[in-house]
Amino acid sequence: MIGAVEGPALGGGTGLVANCHIVIASEKATFGLTEIRLGLWPFLVFRPVAAAVGERRTVEMALSGRILDVEEAEKAGLVHEIAPNAVDRALEVAQTIAAYSPTSIRSGMMFLQEARDRSWRDAGELARMVRREIFQSDDFIEGIRAFHEKRKPKWPSLAGGAD
């Protein structure tokens, strides 16, 4: 998921942003866990925000209800890039990613999910297994061929080819 934030993303909005894989924000974007101002705690979004910016910062945000400007959110790791038009820039990033191998992206995102909370040893074993599978994929074969021929790859998985 690629998030484009053009204004306030407060409370649950900050949680949605934290769940994005890439976040592009405009200079007008703001972020914060403001639930405490209403007599509430950000229970539903606490974990994804903590995964994005760290538990200590998330506790501070939740306790203070403070609103972060886009520069502070970028420094904290909630925002990856600041752009004048976040939506246009997010679409550019999405188009770039869409040109890559669907097999590799799917495998990488699966690895991300499956490796979470595993030991280093178990995550390493999973990485070796997924890497072996990618090496045998039609997309990888096409990617290597295209590299050697100095051309853009034509991913078989986009054409409905088998992997």
Side-chain angles (χ1 to χ4, degrees):
M1 284 193 320
I2 300 171
V5 185
E6 295 271 344
L10 304 174
T14 293
L16 288 173
V17 167
N19 277 296
C20 292
H21 300 105
I22 299 172
V23 178
I24 314 293
S26 76
E27 294 88 355
K28 299 178 210 161
T30 56
F31 307 86
L33 299 178
T34 54
E35 290 88 343
I36 199 76
R37 297 177 182 194
L38 303 173
L40 187 60
W41 184 261
F43 293 106
L44 297 178
V45 299
F46 190 91
R47 288 187 68 187
V49 174
V53 303
E55 185 174 297
R56 287 188 76 210
R57 184 176 300 275
T58 305
V59 169
E60 183 273 330
M61 290 171 65
L63 287 172
S64 70
R66 186 170 63 84
I67 296 174
L68 285 64
D69 64 25
V70 71
E71 288 86 10
E72 189 173 3
E74 182 184 38
K75 184 179 175 185
L78 194 58
V79 169
H80 298 96
E81 183 179 333
I82 301 171
N85 185 318
V87 173
D88 287 348
R89 180 65 185 131
L91 287 170
E92 288 175 16
V93 171
Q95 289 170 342
T96 297
I97 293 169
Y100 298 139
S101 162
T103 299
S104 295
I105 292 170
R106 184 175 43 256
S107 296
M109 298 310 291
M110 182 278 301
F111 172 76
L112 178 69
Q113 292 294 335
E114 295 293 320
R116 187 173 285 134
D117 298 326
R118 287 191 185 201
S119 70
W120 279 93
R121 182 184 187 123
D122 290 348
E125 184 54 41
L126 177 63
R128 283 186 288 283
M129 180 192 74
V130 174
R131 191 167 186 247
R132 251 189 325 268
E133 290 172 5
I134 287 178
F135 279 166
Q136 296 172 1
S137 74
D138 292 339
D139 276 9
F140 181 73
I141 294 165
E142 166 60 12
I144 295 297
R145 184 176 296 132
F147 175 79
H148 287 295
E149 295 172 4
K150 297 181 179 12
R151 63 172 173 80
K152 289 186 177 182
K154 296 179 181 108
W155 306 117
S157 63
L158 278 179
D163 272 321

